[in-house]
Structure formats: C-alpha cells, structure tokens
Amino acid sequence: MSENLCPVCEKELEWDGQYHCMACDAHYKKVGFCPECNAELEKLQACGAANYFCNTCNELKSKSKINFKFNKID
Ligand SMILES: [Zn+2]
Ligand SMILES: [Zn+2]
C-alpha cells in the first residue's frame, strides 16, 4: 500500500527525484504539517533519513503523526 497518491487523480506517484504523476504529467512536492499546530514543517535531511521539524512548537515531529499533503510544482 502506498501513501503517495496524486491529490488530483489519486493514482500512485512515481519518484524520479520528485514525486511525479504520469496520468496528470505533473510534479508534486510532499509537504508535512504539524499535528499539533498545523504549521508547515521543515524537512531536515540527516544521515539519509528525513526528519520533520516544527518551528512553531520548536521540536521534531514523529512521522507517523504528520499530515502530509502534495503541492504541485510548476
Ligand atoms: Zn494525477
Ligand atoms: Zn507545531
């Protein structure tokens, strides 16, 4: 089961350096939002793993609780 679905057509997105929907021929950026304050989270890359930091709460957020959305890249 994939969590990476196109926000427009709900087909599975491919990864080609960015998230790509073949059906829509569009690229998307995955954006995480804080489960507590709903602020956009900052993605931190460390040792090959991605961590999500909330600048409002001033702490790292557990990935399982984050609300992810896909924003279209023009
Ligand atoms: Zn699509
Ligand atoms: Zn927060």
Side-chain angles (χ1 to χ4, degrees), residues 5-11 13 21-26 28:
L5 300 178
C6 177
V8 178
C9 68
E10 300 192 334
K11 288 201 166 64
L13 298 173
C21 177
M22 289 211 297
C24 301
D25 194 22
Y28 295 93

Side-chain angles (χ1 to χ4, degrees), residues 34-39 41 54-58 61:
C34 179
E36 267 83 45
C37 69
N38 217 32
L41 301 175
C54 179
N55 284 306
T56 308
C57 303
N58 209 31
K61 297 296 172 181

Side-chain angles (χ1 to χ4, degrees), residues 30 35 39 68:
K30 196 176 190 177
F68 286 106

Side-chain angles (χ1 to χ4, degrees), residues 2-70:
S2 172
E3 306 164 7
N4 299 321
L5 300 178
C6 177
V8 178
C9 68
E10 300 192 334
K11 288 201 166 64
E12 196 165 324
L13 298 173
E14 306 211 324
W15 179 255
D16 64 2
Q18 295 173 325
Y19 291 97
H20 179 234
C21 177
M22 289 211 297
C24 301
D25 194 22
H27 284 96
Y28 295 93
K29 186 171 94 154
K30 196 176 190 177
V31 182
F33 289 89
C34 179
E36 267 83 45
C37 69
N38 217 32
E40 186 173 330
L41 301 175
E42 196 177 333
K43 190 177 180 184
L44 307 171
Q45 292 280 5
C47 308
N51 289 303
Y52 288 87
F53 185 83
C54 179
N55 284 306
T56 308
C57 303
N58 209 31
E59 62 182 21
L60 286 170
K61 297 296 172 181
S62 164
K63 237 182 265 185
S64 59
K65 294 188 189 145
I66 296 171
N67 305 311
F68 286 106
K69 285 179 194 160
F70 287 95

